[in-house]
């Protein structure tokens, strides 16, 4: 089953476009971008008459991960990276591990690829068994921690997916929300065919600016770069990228990751009070995935009560009984839990 009925283009922002709901649907950290970052971006506007120069930002990313600049490619968000991978790399048997962010598969399909799926099971905690990936796959895409399951796969398990002649794409868009990044593959140069994607959207609130980057072998970076248009990343985005690699920014991100972990524990503890709600265990990202009978109806009731949750049925491997909830501060979570109690009562689950 290829599951084409799933809306691979659906994003959480569709849940909150009317602007009147408390947002638990989009995994962008609240209160961002911080003032110091807004000021850096604003200052870059004085240079808009000149063509963008990405050398300083690229060097800053390379230094942050301890890599040579030849292994770094700046992109207009991770979304552009998925399109570049789909169009510029010669592959014939791509596999996407689901449930996960659907944009990689959408990009591959748009580029004419026949995409196979490895669908992880709720009964297994959505954990990856590397043996489930076909040996014939010459491109494998997996998220870590995975959106929407919030599962953090061990780096060693992911590295086992590497093969000669295979490209292993690991989407680490949420890795900087994990304290200490213990399972990160970003700095690794010993895994053949490894391509790591990072985004600055989530932690720094830059969805509207479009900035991310690729870490890969120099030859792969060169092929992806040739597929980019000239000046693909604008000056304000480059300024943001450089600023977010500074020691001050990295320390702030680390503190935010610790707060997110504590706030997530509070959310999970509250959800555990409901017999009708089953959360995916061992969540590690800034969101949690929950199963509720008739969750689509519960989501509608939550909207009426002022809260937006991300529907799960657009993710291959999930159905209408799943919701993804962004981690918020304790006060917001407490208000949400009260609304959830009312929603469950109204639906009669």
């Amino acid at each position: 089953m290829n599951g084409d009925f799933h809306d691979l283009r659906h994003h959480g922002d569709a849940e909150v476009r009317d602007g009147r709901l408390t947002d638990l649907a989009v995994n962008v950290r609240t209160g961002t971008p911080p003032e110091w970052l807004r000021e850096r971006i604003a200052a870059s506007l004085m240079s808009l008459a000149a063509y963008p120069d990405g050398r300083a930002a690229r060097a800053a990313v390379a230094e942050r991960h301890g890599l040579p600049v030849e292994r770094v490619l700046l992109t207009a968000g991770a979304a552009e990276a998925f399109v570049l991978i789909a169009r510029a790399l010669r592959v014939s048997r791509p596999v996407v591990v689901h449930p996960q962010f659907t944009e990689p598969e959408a990009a591959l399909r748009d580029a004419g690829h026949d995409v196979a799926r490895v669908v992880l099971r709720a009964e297994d905690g959505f954990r990856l068994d590397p043996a489930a990936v076909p040996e014939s796959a010459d491109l494998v895409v997996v998220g870590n921690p995975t959106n929407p399951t919030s599962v953090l796969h061990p780096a060693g398990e992911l590295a086992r997916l590497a093969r000669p002649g295979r490209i292993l794409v690991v989407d680490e868009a949420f890795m900087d929300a994990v304290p200490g990044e213990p399972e990160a593959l970003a700095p690794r140069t010993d895994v053949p065919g490894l391509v790591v994607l990072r985004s600055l959207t989530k932690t720094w609130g830059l969805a509207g600016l479009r900035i991310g980057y690729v870490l890969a072998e120099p030859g792969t970076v060169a092929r992806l770069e040739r597929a980019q248009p000239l000046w693909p990343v604008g000056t304000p985005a480059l300024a943001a990228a450089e600023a977010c690699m500074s020691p001050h920014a990295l320390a702030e991100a680390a503190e935010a990751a610790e707060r997110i972990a504590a706030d997530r524990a509070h959310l999970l503890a509250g959800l555990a009070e409901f017999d009708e709600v089953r959360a995916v265990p061992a969540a590690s990202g800034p969101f949690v995935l929950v199963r509720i009978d008739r969750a689509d109806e519960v989501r509608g009731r939550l909207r009426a009560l002022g809260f937006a949750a991300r529907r799960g049925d657009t993710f291959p491997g999930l159905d209408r009984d799943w919701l993804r909830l962004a981690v918020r501060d304790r006060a917001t979570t407490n208000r949400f839990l009260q609304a959830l109690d009312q929603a469950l009562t109204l639906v009669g689950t």
Side-chain angles (χ1 to χ4, degrees):
M1 180 182 70
N2 62 19
D4 288 336
F5 62 90
H6 290 94
D7 181 3
L8 301 180
R9 294 295 188 188
H10 184 82
H11 287 234
D13 64 308
E15 314 281 354
V16 291
R17 283 177 183 157
D18 64 13
R20 296 189 300 271
L21 302 175
T22 298
D23 177 15
L24 274 71
V26 178
N27 295 323
V28 173
R29 184 164 64 100
T30 56
T32 55
E35 184 177 358
W36 63 264
L37 182 53
R38 294 198 302 270
E39 290 175 353
R40 285 287 296 272
I41 294 169
S44 75
L45 301 181
M46 300 300 294
S47 303
L48 291 185
Y51 285 95
D53 183 348
R55 288 176 295 179
R58 189 180 184 189
V61 171
E63 182 178 0
R64 182 255 194 270
H65 293 289
L67 298 170
V69 293
E70 293 81 13
R71 296 185 70 96
V72 176
L73 179 67
L74 302 174
T75 60
E80 188 203 9
F82 293 130
V83 172
L84 294 174
I85 289 167
R87 297 181 179 179
L89 302 184
R90 294 181 179 178
V91 298
S92 58
R93 294 176 299 280
V95 170
V96 178
V97 178
H98 286 289
Q100 79 149 9
F101 185 50
T102 53
E103 195 65 34
E105 179 170 325
L108 287 163
R109 290 185 180 276
D110 288 347
H113 294 284
D114 183 11
V115 182
R117 293 174 177 170
V118 170
V119 180
L120 308 183
R121 305 191 315 155
E123 307 91 276
D124 301 326
F126 295 110
R127 298 204 168 275
L128 174 66
D129 176 5
V133 176
E135 282 292 330
S136 61
D138 57 1
L139 172 70
V140 179
V141 184
V142 61
N144 202 38
T146 302
N147 173 19
T149 66
S150 205
V151 170
L152 183 65
H153 303 290
E157 292 291 287
L158 294 181
R160 285 178 54 197
L161 293 172
R163 302 281 190 281
R166 172 186 286 178
I167 298 164
L168 172 60
V169 179
V170 181
D171 177 8
E172 293 188 350
F174 294 100
M175 188 62 80
D176 60 355
V178 179
E181 301 188 11
E183 307 301 337
L185 288 173
R188 297 276 294 272
T189 60
D190 61 324
V191 181
L194 177 64
V195 176
V196 173
L197 308 184
R198 287 279 180 124
S199 170
L200 301 180
T201 295
K202 317 302 181 184
T203 291
W204 297 111
L206 299 175
L209 198 59
R210 310 312 307 143
I211 179 65
Y213 53 90
V214 177
L215 306 173
E217 296 167 353
T220 300
V221 166
R223 286 192 293 275
L224 297 176
E225 188 172 18
R226 285 195 295 270
Q228 285 184 306
L230 294 175
W231 306 290
V233 181
T235 297
L238 292 171
E242 184 178 1
C244 291
M245 299 299 116
S246 71
H248 165 77
L250 295 178
E252 182 176 321
E255 291 174 4
E258 296 288 351
R259 285 196 305 273
I260 288 168
D263 289 340
R264 184 181 59 242
H266 181 68
L267 172 59
L268 288 170
L271 292 171
E273 296 296 317
F274 296 95
D275 293 336
E276 307 94 329
V277 179
R278 283 156 286 176
V280 174
S284 297
F287 47 88
V288 299
L289 182 66
V290 299
R291 190 183 189 283
I292 308 171
D293 289 342
R294 299 160 63 190
D296 54 339
E297 297 178 46
V298 173
R299 183 172 65 92
R301 293 292 185 177
L302 285 169
R303 290 184 68 83
L305 294 166
F307 289 86
R310 172 65 159 89
R311 57 189 284 198
D313 61 336
T314 63
F315 294 99
L318 303 181
D319 57 28
R320 68 179 195 167
D321 288 337
W322 293 90
L323 296 177
R324 190 192 69 196
L325 306 172
V327 172
R328 299 299 186 225
D329 62 88
R330 292 191 175 204
T332 301
T333 293
N334 290 341
R335 290 191 296 109
F336 166 73
L337 292 170
Q338 292 176 343
L340 178 61
D341 190 22
Q342 294 180 56
L344 291 170
T345 300
L346 290 168
V347 171
T349 57

